[in-house]
């Protein structure tokens, strides 16, 4: 937790320095890949080469992020379809989410995780596979559930989990 908090407070340049120059590992899920598009509320930090030919969509994404009540930044793998992500974000603008923290949205290849999406609560990151950006809605449900102890620990939630666990055949 302490390392996560420290890392979260580092700027993009320092996180990339640690990942790329010191540890020589693949970018962690909370890192920003060098050849991705990274947009914050404040600015367009970097643009992947394939996205440079779609600057109107990049600028539109920046405008949506600026006005979004839940997202503080977005990272898009260079193979991400910008139009698909924009469509999903526009569909989520009217949602009334009970989130206490802004999150970062990452559209990446998640094949190693064998999932269409991931929500990392201690880092406030919702990651969705580039082939399925609509998985964001599912991950937002996790974000609301996990980030609200009054919901997460509620007796009715426990009853639902218990009921559906009995129906799952893990064999």
């Amino acid at each position: 937790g302490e390392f996560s908090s420290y890392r979260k407070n580092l700027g993009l340049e320092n996180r990339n320095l640690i990942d790329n120059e010191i540890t020589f590992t693949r970018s962690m899920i909370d890192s920003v890949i060098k050849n991705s598009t990274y947009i914050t509320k404040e600015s367009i930090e970097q643009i992947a080469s394939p996205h440079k030919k779609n600057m109107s969509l990049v600028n539109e994404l920046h405008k949506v992020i600026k006005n979004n009540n839940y997202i503080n930044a977005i990272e898009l793998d260079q193979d991400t379809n910008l139009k698909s992500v924009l469509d999903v974000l526009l569909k989520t603008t009217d949602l009334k989410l009970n989130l206490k923290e802004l999150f970062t949205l990452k559209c990446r290849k998640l094949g190693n995780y064998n999932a269409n999406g991931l929500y990392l609560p201690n880092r406030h990151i919702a990651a969705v596979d580039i082939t399925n950006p609509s998985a964001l809605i599912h991950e937002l449900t996790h974000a609301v559930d996990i980030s609200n102890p009054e919901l997460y620990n509620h007796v009715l939630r426990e009853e639902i989990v218990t009921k559906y666990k009995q129906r799952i055949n893990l064999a």
Side-chain angles (χ1 to χ4, degrees):
E2 244 180 79
F3 177 71
S4 294
S5 177
Y6 170 77
R7 189 174 167 79
K8 180 181 174 187
N9 291 322
L10 289 174
L12 175 61
E13 188 176 322
N14 286 329
R15 275 188 306 216
N16 286 341
L17 174 68
I18 290 169
D19 294 343
N20 300 316
E21 304 295 329
I22 297 172
T23 62
F24 299 105
T25 60
R26 270 194 308 181
S27 292
M28 294 169 59
I29 199 80
D30 66 334
S31 303
V32 175
I33 300 169
K34 281 184 182 179
N35 57 354
S36 68
T37 295
Y38 186 64
I39 304 168
T40 66
K41 285 190 176 293
E42 293 78 33
S43 65
I44 299 169
E45 302 279 330
Q46 65 184 40
I47 304 171
S49 294
H51 297 158
K52 288 180 181 176
K53 62 185 171 212
N54 293 311
M55 282 308 294
S56 62
L57 283 174
V58 171
N59 287 321
E60 186 66 25
L61 281 164
H62 183 229
K63 188 163 63 168
V64 169
I65 298 302
K66 256 203 255 195
N67 297 317
N68 189 289
N69 294 326
Y70 310 113
I71 300 174
N72 65 349
I74 184 170
E75 179 189 6
L76 307 167
D77 179 277
Q78 65 180 346
D79 296 329
T80 301
N81 181 315
L82 298 178
K83 181 74 172 113
S84 295
V85 174
L86 182 60
D87 289 345
V88 168
L89 289 177
L90 291 173
K91 288 175 184 171
T92 64
T93 55
D94 292 334
L95 294 177
K96 304 287 187 252
L97 300 174
N98 185 7
L99 290 175
K100 297 185 183 354
E101 297 273 344
L102 294 174
F103 69 91
T104 299
L105 172 61
K106 298 196 175 245
C107 293
R108 289 193 175 177
K109 295 172 184 156
L110 298 177
N112 289 344
Y113 296 100
N114 197 24
N116 284 324
L118 302 167
Y119 179 67
L120 293 92
N122 58 345
R123 302 227 172 109
H124 306 291
I125 294 173
V128 294
D129 193 89
I130 63 169
T131 60
N132 193 4
S134 62
L136 175 61
I137 301 299
H138 180 87
E139 298 314 316
L140 289 178
T141 304
H142 286 303
V144 169
D145 182 41
I146 294 170
S147 68
N148 290 287
E150 64 276 6
L151 295 175
Y152 192 73
N153 298 319
H154 198 278
V155 67
L156 291 176
R157 181 184 185 280
E158 227 12 78
E159 286 176 19
I160 291 169
V161 169
T162 302
K163 181 177 180 174
Y164 283 99
K165 267 187 182 176
Q166 295 167 1
R167 294 180 167 212
I168 296 174
N169 180 359
L170 297 175

